[in-house]
Amino acid sequence: MKENDIILEGRNITKKFGGVVALDNVTFKLPRNEVVALLGDNGAGKSTLIKIFSGALQPTDGKIFIDGREVSFDGPRDAIKYGIETVYQDLALVDCFSIEKNIYLGKELVKRYGFVDVLQNKMMSEGATKFLKEVGIEIAGTNRPVSELSGGQRNAVAVSKGAFWTDKILIMDEPTGALGVKETRKILNMILSLKEKGLSIILITHNIEHAFLVADRFFVLRVGEKIGERKKEKTTSAEEIVRLITGAIFVGQQ
């Protein structure tokens, strides 16, 4: 990979919690306009790594680069300023709020009349509807509270909430977790649509089949260490990735 093709890099990232080493000298690269599946068993360090990229944690050692420029994050707001949006597994939706209000949460469109700020609900509804349609998700009535939505629709709103606000980097933690087959397919298609719109995506998933459907490459962590990296067209099989995850083979980057 050429350096100017890398939109996000974590170089020699180490994270310690007291005497526990969660990440040990891990270098991760996200190529521009690719989907990288971040894989590993429980405790591999996946969540720690994405929390560092999203500004929720600071590394004990190592550096972060965006578009080849070194950056540092004191918190999630700093990461957002650099175009990194993160969708965590808990979705972080407000059930009593409508779809558009969740998508615009904290970034509401307002217009000032005298000394009063008035929410521009029609504009937010139109913006949310347009974006959902662009990424292949159709939900009737964006003014409906998200408490009325199915699991797949809720996940789609959560992903949209992140993707709507960036044209650079989207991180997703298990976006298809606990979904049925039909709803899972919609989320996977949405990921491909977001890639077509130009986003670079980090995808955490335990489902290797889902990873193979959408990812361009696979990055495997095991007990805080980088075990291997594969481009999809060079990967022999899903079984090889499983062996990397479980520790049956230890092969470096290809």
Side-chain angles (χ1 to χ4, degrees):
M1 291 181 284
K2 297 179 180 178
E3 289 304 315
N4 60 0
D5 291 335
I6 305 303
I7 191 168
L8 170 67
E9 178 183 359
R11 188 178 300 172
N12 306 123
I13 299 294
T14 295
K15 180 62 180 177
K16 298 179 181 179
F17 297 96
V20 177
V21 180
L23 292 171
D24 186 9
N25 199 38
V26 172
T27 291
F28 174 96
K29 296 181 180 181
L30 175 63
R32 199 177 308 277
N33 198 210
E34 284 195 14
V35 178
V36 176
L38 180 56
L39 306 172
D41 212 341
N42 292 334
K46 305 184 302 297
S47 294
T48 301
L49 186 59
I50 67 164
K51 285 178 180 177
I52 288 172
F53 288 149
S54 64
L57 292 173
Q58 282 71 50
T60 305
D61 198 6
K63 298 178 180 180
I64 298 173
F65 297 84
I66 294 179
D67 289 323
R69 182 161 62 100
E70 184 177 351
V71 299
S72 61
F73 306 142
D74 291 328
R77 289 185 182 275
D78 288 339
I80 290 170
K81 288 178 183 177
Y82 284 101
I84 300 175
E85 292 281 349
T86 305
V87 181
Y88 290 105
Q89 200 168 354
D90 64 5
L91 303 184
L93 297 174
V94 181
D95 283 348
C96 62
F97 279 13
S98 63
I99 296 169
E100 71 260 20
K101 285 183 178 177
N102 268 282
I103 290 177
Y104 282 87
L105 187 63
K107 303 169 184 175
E108 294 83 358
L109 301 180
V110 298
K111 187 173 182 179
R112 173 151 288 199
Y113 294 91
F115 297 100
V116 179
D117 288 332
V118 179
L119 288 172
Q120 301 301 292
N121 292 315
K122 183 179 179 181
M123 289 180 65
M124 289 190 288
S125 178
E126 291 173 349
T129 300
K130 181 175 182 290
F131 184 81
L132 288 169
K133 187 174 181 179
E134 286 176 355
V135 295
I137 300 296
E138 294 188 13
I139 302 176
T142 57
N143 60 345
R144 295 167 58 194
V146 297
S147 59
E148 296 181 0
L149 304 181
S150 68
Q153 289 173 326
R154 288 171 59 87
N155 282 34
V157 172
V159 173
S160 298
K161 180 182 172 184
F164 187 81
W165 295 104
T166 182
D167 59 1
K168 295 188 72 173
I169 300 164
L170 182 65
I171 301 172
M172 289 183 279
D173 186 2
E174 297 285 357
T176 60
L179 296 183
V181 174
K182 185 177 180 181
E183 292 186 322
T184 293
R185 187 182 305 115
K186 288 182 179 179
I187 296 297
L188 295 176
N189 287 337
M190 186 178 185
I191 292 170
L192 293 174
S193 295
L194 291 171
K195 178 190 168 184
E196 288 178 4
K197 286 175 67 69
L199 293 189
S200 306
I201 298 170
I202 300 174
L203 170 67
I204 290 182
T205 179
H206 280 91
N207 192 307
I208 304 302
E209 180 183 353
H210 294 172
F212 266 81
L213 288 172
V214 298
D216 298 288
R217 66 181 69 232
F218 312 94
F219 187 98
V220 180
L221 289 172
R222 187 169 184 267
V223 197
E225 296 183 358
K226 175 184 174 180
I227 296 303
E229 183 177 3
R230 296 289 187 274
K231 294 183 69 174
K232 182 155 62 177
E233 63 266 25
K234 292 185 178 180
T235 301
T236 56
S237 66
E239 286 73 21
E240 180 189 10
I241 299 299
V242 172
R243 289 196 296 270
L244 285 169
I245 292 171
T246 59
I249 57 175
F250 294 87
V251 183
Q253 181 176 346
Q254 287 189 352

